[in-house]
């Protein structure tokens, strides 16, 4: 099957197992709150960003020539006593003679007692860049159609809140998106 639906007392989460994304997060209705849903999203999409060669450093990113979505090579679902983990494994092939395959593991955890979905990403990066050809980097995209969101980012020595204005902002380890009194935490 191409998708999997995880339901708890608080949430319904739909995963696209082919593309490695969350396509819907919905709250379950309660006595005082109707159900709410974020649909049509591509939450957690793993993209390869190809950076043009040039005078870049670890702190200065060059012009990104193109983005390519990376498809998972494996998807697993593990059901625990009070959680469900949906894990996607990816492999970025070497792009030059001195690079090795890079492995990416992305895990979404849905806790039975929470109204959020946690996402962790582990990367074994083996790509070695050079100044003669485009070099890859990884971007985890959480595309939503939410217009009135407030995003809070972990930054050195604290956190900062910024409105959804269409720009991308860096974060250290986490980002929390809040809208309509619901929140979802995403890894940076």
């Amino acid at each position: 099957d191409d998708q999997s639906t995880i339901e708890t007392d608080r949430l319904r989460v739909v995963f696209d197992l082919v593309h490695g994304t969350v396509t819907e997060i919905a709250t379950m209705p309660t006595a005082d709150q109707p159900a709410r849903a974020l649909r049509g999203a591509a939450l957690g999409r793993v993209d390869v960003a190809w950076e043009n060669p040039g005078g870049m450093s670890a702190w200065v990113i060059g012009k990104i020539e193109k983005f390519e979505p990376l498809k998972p090579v494996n998807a697993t679902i593990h059901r625990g006593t009070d959680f469900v983990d949906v894990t996607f494994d990816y492999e970025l092939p070497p792009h030059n003679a001195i690079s090795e395959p890079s492995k990416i593991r992305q895990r979404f955890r849905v806790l039975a007692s929470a109204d959020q979905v946690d996402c962790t990403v582990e990367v074994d990066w083996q790509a070695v860049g050079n100044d003669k050809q485009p070099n890859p980097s990884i971007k985890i995209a959480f595309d939503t159609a939410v217009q009135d969101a407030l995003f809070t980012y972990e930054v050195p020595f604290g956190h900062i809140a910024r409105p959804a204005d269409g720009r991308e902002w860096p974060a250290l380890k986490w980002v929390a998106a809040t809208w309509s009194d619901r929140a979802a935490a995403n890894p940076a």
Side-chain angles (χ1 to χ4, degrees):
D1 197 8
D2 289 352
Q3 72 177 23
S4 179
T5 301
I6 309 300
E7 286 194 16
T8 69
D9 291 343
R10 296 174 176 239
L11 290 178
R12 182 181 69 250
V13 185
V14 180
F15 292 90
D16 178 335
L17 300 177
V18 172
H19 297 97
T21 60
V22 174
T23 58
E24 178 182 331
I25 299 177
T27 60
M28 298 305 227
T30 64
D32 55 340
Q33 289 286 339
R36 294 186 202 148
L38 176 62
R39 289 189 181 94
L43 302 174
R45 187 184 67 247
V46 177
D47 286 338
V48 180
W50 291 97
E51 179 182 7
N52 280 343
M56 66 272 198
S57 72
W59 301 107
V60 178
I61 296 174
K63 181 180 187 290
I64 301 299
E65 183 65 30
K66 64 181 175 177
F67 289 99
E68 296 175 333
L70 197 59
K71 283 194 173 180
V73 294
N74 188 44
T76 58
I77 300 172
H78 173 73
R79 297 178 189 279
T81 352
D82 61 350
F83 69 92
V84 176
D85 283 345
V86 178
T87 303
F88 298 102
D89 293 312
Y90 300 84
E91 185 172 299
L92 177 66
H95 70 291
N96 59 29
I98 58 175
S99 294
E100 297 289 331
S102 295
K103 299 191 183 309
I104 300 119
R105 172 166 282 172
Q106 180 178 44
R107 185 189 76 198
F108 294 93
R109 175 164 279 188
V110 182
L111 293 170
S113 61
D115 46 353
Q116 68 186 35
V117 177
D118 293 325
C119 177
T120 58
V121 179
E122 298 172 7
V123 179
D124 178 16
W125 191 253
Q126 299 296 319
V128 179
N130 63 46
D131 62 356
K132 300 189 181 11
Q133 69 187 88
N135 296 293
S137 62
I138 294 295
K139 172 184 168 182
I140 312 299
F142 289 84
D143 299 332
T144 69
V146 176
Q147 301 296 319
D148 61 345
L150 180 67
F151 292 90
T152 305
Y153 301 82
E154 182 187 27
V155 295
F157 311 109
H159 63 276
I160 188 167
R162 295 184 170 111
D165 62 3
R167 297 192 311 177
E168 293 185 19
W169 296 97
L172 289 178
K173 293 183 182 176
W174 58 264
V175 174
T178 308
W179 63 92
S180 303
D181 78 354
R182 306 304 292 177
N186 303 327

